[in-house]
């Protein structure tokens, strides 16, 4: 093995157009069960990602009670999107995939029988139908789970996709008999 091989010289794999691998950070949300971390790393490896570091925060939980994991990897730029899609296809919840992907944030409030309408299903469908991921969740059920409650959702949204995400939220809310309180557009009164 040459010194050039050790320092990532000209033998490093490119994306076909000559671009060298670049570092990326992906933040995942995993269920605390044996094998979940290994299963989440497989799509990265299968799509040509090179692991740089893994930060597994077992002591802290996401709003949905899962374990946050931050993965630093490098790959040619054209492979990064494939890696993110492969993770999602494998059922891994991608909270953040590079800063450029989820560049906007939107907050909505759902009001109604949140618990009876299966909040977990609602969140899953928002994330799988819209280019958004749940950043924070706050649930309020003053009268217990048998009465109307509210959930404040803070969503990270792909740049330029806020309207599409809000449309998905509205459609799901209508289907489940929930009301949506959404942010006012800039300049509206």
């Amino acid at each position: 093995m040459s010194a050039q091989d050790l320092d990532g010289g000209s033998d490093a794999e490119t994306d076909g157009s000559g671009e060298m691998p670049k570092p990326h950070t992906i933040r995942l949300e995993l269920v605390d069960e044996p094998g979940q971390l290994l299963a989440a790393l497989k799509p990265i490896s299968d799509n040509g990602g090179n692991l740089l570091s893994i930060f597994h925060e077992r002591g802290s939980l996401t709003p949905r009670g899962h374990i946050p994991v931050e993965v630093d990897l490098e790959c040619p730029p054209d492979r990064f999107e494939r890696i993110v899609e492969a993770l999602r296809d494998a059922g891994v919840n991608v909270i953040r995939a590079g800063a450029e992907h989820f560049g906007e944030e939107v907050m909505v409030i759902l009001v109604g029988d949140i618990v009876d309408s299966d909040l977990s299903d609602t969140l899953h469908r928002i994330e799988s139908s819209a280019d958004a991921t749940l950043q924070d969740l706050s649930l309020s059920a003053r009268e217990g789970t048998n009465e109307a409650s509210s959930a404040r959702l803070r969503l990270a949204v792909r740049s330029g996709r806020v309207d599409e995400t809000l449309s998905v939220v509205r459609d799901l809310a209508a289907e489940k008999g929930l009301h949506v309180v959404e942010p006012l557009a800039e300049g509206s009164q």
Side-chain angles (χ1 to χ4, degrees):
M1 183 176 274
S2 71
Q4 191 174 38
D5 292 334
L6 290 173
D7 70 4
S10 64
D11 291 339
E13 196 170 349
T14 67
D15 67 354
S17 66
E19 283 201 58
M20 297 300 290
K22 296 191 174 161
H24 301 277
T25 298
I26 301 175
R27 191 158 175 88
L28 310 173
E29 181 182 67
L30 302 178
V31 176
D32 190 14
E33 294 177 359
Q36 291 296 303
L37 179 58
L38 182 60
L41 297 177
K42 186 166 179 9
I44 296 170
S45 173
D46 289 350
N47 286 281
N50 182 35
L51 291 175
L52 299 174
S53 69
I54 301 168
F55 184 63
H56 185 260
E57 300 177 60
R58 189 149 191 228
S60 65
L61 298 175
T62 65
R64 292 191 294 188
H66 296 148
I67 306 296
V69 176
E70 193 164 285
V71 178
D72 292 318
L73 62 102
E74 67 179 3
C75 65
D78 76 322
R79 291 193 190 166
F80 185 65
E81 196 65 39
R82 281 194 317 218
I83 289 170
V84 173
E85 292 304 317
L87 285 164
R88 288 195 174 112
D89 290 345
V92 176
N93 187 20
V94 177
I95 296 173
R96 186 182 75 230
E100 71 280 3
H101 290 284
F102 296 104
E104 297 184 54
E105 190 174 275
V106 66
M107 195 168 323
V108 297
I109 298 173
L110 299 177
V111 180
D113 291 326
I114 303 287
V115 176
D116 287 342
S117 67
D118 192 354
L119 180 58
S120 179
D121 173 67
T122 302
L123 298 175
H124 175 74
R125 289 174 61 190
I126 288 170
E127 288 187 327
S128 64
S129 301
D131 280 327
T133 188
L134 181 68
Q135 295 270 278
D136 187 44
L137 166 70
S138 178
L139 181 64
S140 176
R142 293 179 188 230
E143 303 296 321
T145 60
N146 294 328
E147 297 296 324
S149 53
S150 64
R152 180 186 48 82
L153 311 176
R154 185 168 51 95
L155 302 168
V157 181
R158 285 185 191 251
S159 295
R161 303 273 177 98
V162 170
D163 289 338
E164 178 183 328
T165 298
L166 288 173
S167 178
V168 168
V169 171
R170 284 184 212 109
D171 290 348
L172 268 170
E175 175 187 321
K176 294 184 173 222
L178 304 173
H179 300 283
V180 181
V181 179
E182 55 188 82
L184 295 173
E186 260 186 78
S188 63
Q189 297 184 3

